[in-house]
Amino acid sequence: MKHNQATRRDFLSTTVSAGIAAGMANGGFFESPLHANETKKLGVALVGLGSLSTNQIAPGLLHSSHCKLAAIVTGTPAKESVWAAKYGIAKDHIYNYESFEKIASDDSIDIVYVVLPNSMHAEFTIRAAKAGKHVLCEKPMANTAEECREMIAACKKADRKLAIGYRCQYEPHHLYCMNLAKTKELGAIKHIEAGFGFKIGDPTQWRLKKKLAGGGALMDVGIYALQACRYLTGEEPVSVIAQETKTDAVKFAEVDESIAWMMKFPSGVVAHCTTTYSLNGINRFHATTENGYIRMDPAYSYNDNRLETARGTSRGETKLAQVDQFATEMDEFAKCILENKPSKVSGEEGLKDMLVVEAIYDSIKTGASVRVVA
Ligand code: NAD
């Protein structure tokens, strides 16, 4: 597990010595921040203190303007004292999976951030909503579209907000690309190539167990490429056709190792996508437009993503601010709660991805093109 975590973290933190200075313009896409006030920060309970919580989310919370770490929920007693000491969390704000419901009477908690294996997302989102808390749930939203629907329904019933941890939708370079696509400054997008993968380590980890992960590379990282195609086109794919390959039938006995898939969009845009658990270095999208292209490579890392655009034969790199994607994601969710507006990375958005994921798996089974049904 440790080996894989290090590998994955190192990979996602790909360092491209582009020399992008912090504090440069972010492209002007963030709304003006609410007035940050320490005492008014919303309290976050982190559920699941694994690699992402330890290395990205908890440090991100220290940089958040509108959220703070208020409580932890863990199934590993040894982590309690370590986290309590590091983040100054009192005993009465520490819970385990069995005592979780007690968060209902903990007024320091506004938001529950679910950072557990994928199969546990639905259960803890629903339990959190029933406890009266807003929910930020990590991607992929759940193991199935059916679970996504149950999560949406539970949060609606409890009148709580639900958002999915699609951090790239707050990353300045991605926002810049979305704007270029929308304004058609380089002409309309005609074709997209997108992919994300990494070489997975430890063969015993939950990511390789279907019951815990739901699927393999596609649900873990392929979903970033899938999302990028959706938010660049601003459209939902109408059909997909996919093919899976395995080079290690033992290690990948339960989940997909590598998938190549094609999505057709209503406007005629075609996207060719790939995902893999066998190779580092696939981390990009390239959208060909009428007059040039929009390209990010790396595209989905925690930092140092690189954006290049072309108009005719003239190419250039666009360097924007580096932000803590997790702090930004949590701040934007806090603003949705405080201003009572829906999140742009809502449960409905997570469900749309899961419907495409299920169509891709169907296509692999049948060998045929599959319509994506909303
Ligand atoms: P991890 O393996 O490092 O941590 C998982 C946590 O869940 C651990 O604390 C573990 O103790 C706990 N857990 C509870 N029940 C478990 C069980 N039955 N088996 C295994 N662990 C169990 O995983 P992670 O990398 O932190 O990923 C957690 C979630 O975050 C996943 O849904 C993953 O897709 C998502 N994630 C998102 C990003 C992102 O950039 N947004 C990056 C990495 C992971």
Side-chain angles (χ1 to χ4, degrees):
M1 183 78 76
K2 271 209 167 99
H3 169 71
N4 171 59
Q5 285 167 354
T7 307
R8 192 170 194 281
R9 188 163 62 250
D10 292 350
F11 176 67
L12 280 163
S13 302
T14 310
T15 46
V16 179
S17 51
I20 301 173
M24 287 169 71
N26 67 27
F29 295 107
F30 292 124
E31 294 163 26
S32 60
L34 292 169
H35 181 65
N37 178 331
E38 188 68 25
T39 57
K40 283 191 182 157
K41 283 185 177 181
L42 299 186
V44 175
L46 273 186
V47 191
L49 308 179
S51 174
L52 188 70
S53 286
T54 304
N55 301 303
Q56 270 75 41
I57 300 175
L61 274 164
L62 297 175
H63 297 117
S64 165
S65 302
H66 306 302
C67 295
K68 62 184 174 191
L69 183 60
I72 50 172
V73 184
T74 177
T76 312
K79 290 180 184 170
E80 293 180 5
S81 55
V82 176
W83 278 70
K86 188 164 183 185
Y87 292 103
I89 301 166
K91 253 196 158 50
D92 51 346
H93 300 302
I94 299 177
Y95 304 88
N96 57 42
Y97 303 144
E98 289 74 40
S99 67
F100 182 75
E101 271 61 35
K102 290 187 183 157
I103 64 166
S105 53
D106 187 337
D107 292 339
S108 75
I109 302 171
D110 301 287
I111 298 167
V112 167
Y113 195 159
V114 182
V115 200
L116 290 162
N118 309 341
S119 65
M120 300 169 81
H121 290 184
E123 177 194 338
F124 278 85
T125 295
I126 293 167
R127 287 171 73 182
K130 283 185 178 163
K133 307 300 179 184
H134 301 284
V135 187
L136 185 49
C137 177
E138 259 311 324
K139 47 55 60 182
M141 182 169 169
N143 274 12
T144 63
E146 191 44 42
E147 285 181 349
C148 295
R149 290 195 182 95
E150 288 166 14
M151 293 158 79
I152 293 167
C155 291
K156 270 211 175 102
K157 189 172 177 201
D159 194 22
R160 299 292 84 182
K161 296 211 183 295
L162 172 60
I164 312 304
Y166 289 132
R167 57 182 170 78
C168 290
Q169 292 216 29
Y170 298 109
E171 201 273 345
H173 298 82
H174 283 257
L175 291 169
Y176 187 89
C177 292
M178 289 178 212
N179 194 51
L180 273 184
K182 197 173 169 186
T183 57
K184 298 189 173 61
E185 254 178 70
L186 303 172
I189 291 177
K190 291 294 183 188
H191 181 268
I192 304 176
E193 282 174 54
F196 196 20
F198 74 103
K199 194 170 170 54
I200 200 161
D202 183 1
T204 66
Q205 64 185 285
W206 67 263
R207 282 187 164 81
L208 299 174
K209 311 235 179 298
K210 186 167 171 55
K211 205 170 165 208
L212 287 166
L218 175 63
M219 286 184 55
D220 191 13
V221 285
I223 202 163
Y224 286 89
L226 191 169
Q227 264 251 319
C229 296
R230 287 185 49 244
Y231 58 65
L232 287 169
T233 56
E235 297 177 30
E236 299 307 322
V238 286
S239 67
V240 300
I241 186 158
Q243 198 165 34
E244 181 187 2
T245 49
K246 282 194 206 290
T247 62
D248 187 337
V250 176
K251 187 170 181 178
F252 301 104
E254 295 188 29
V255 300
D256 44 288
E257 177 187 348
S258 300
I259 295 177
W261 76 96
M262 189 179 93
M263 297 186 281
K264 277 190 198 168
F265 290 85
S267 62
V269 173
V270 170
H272 288 102
C273 302
T274 48
T275 188
T276 183
Y277 264 161
S278 302
L279 198 61
N280 289 330
I282 298 176
N283 180 352
R284 59 177 166 266
F285 65 73
H286 183 114
T288 305
T289 66
E290 284 164 318
N291 306 323
Y293 63 78
I294 307 165
R295 173 185 180 80
M296 284 188 68
D297 188 349
Y300 317 105
S301 299
Y302 296 139
N303 44 49
D304 294 325
N305 291 315
R306 188 174 181 280
L307 164 62
E308 186 182 301
T309 55
R311 185 190 297 276
T313 53
S314 153
R315 298 176 190 180
E317 186 181 347
T318 302
K319 297 179 180 183
L320 303 172
Q322 295 292 314
V323 299
D324 183 317
Q325 295 172 32
F326 293 91
T328 314
E329 163 195 285
M330 285 181 280
D331 280 342
E332 292 295 325
F333 190 44
K335 281 199 262 177
C336 291
I337 293 166
L338 295 168
E339 296 169 2
N340 192 24
K341 58 182 190 187
S343 166
K344 71 171 175 177
V345 290
S346 62
E348 284 79 1
E349 181 72 6
L351 169 62
K352 282 179 186 165
D353 282 336
M354 199 51 61
L355 290 168
V356 183
V357 164
E358 289 189 343
I360 291 169
Y361 286 135
D362 277 356
S363 171
I364 289 167
K365 261 191 233 146
T366 60
S369 169
V370 173
R371 288 195 76 75
V372 182
V373 182

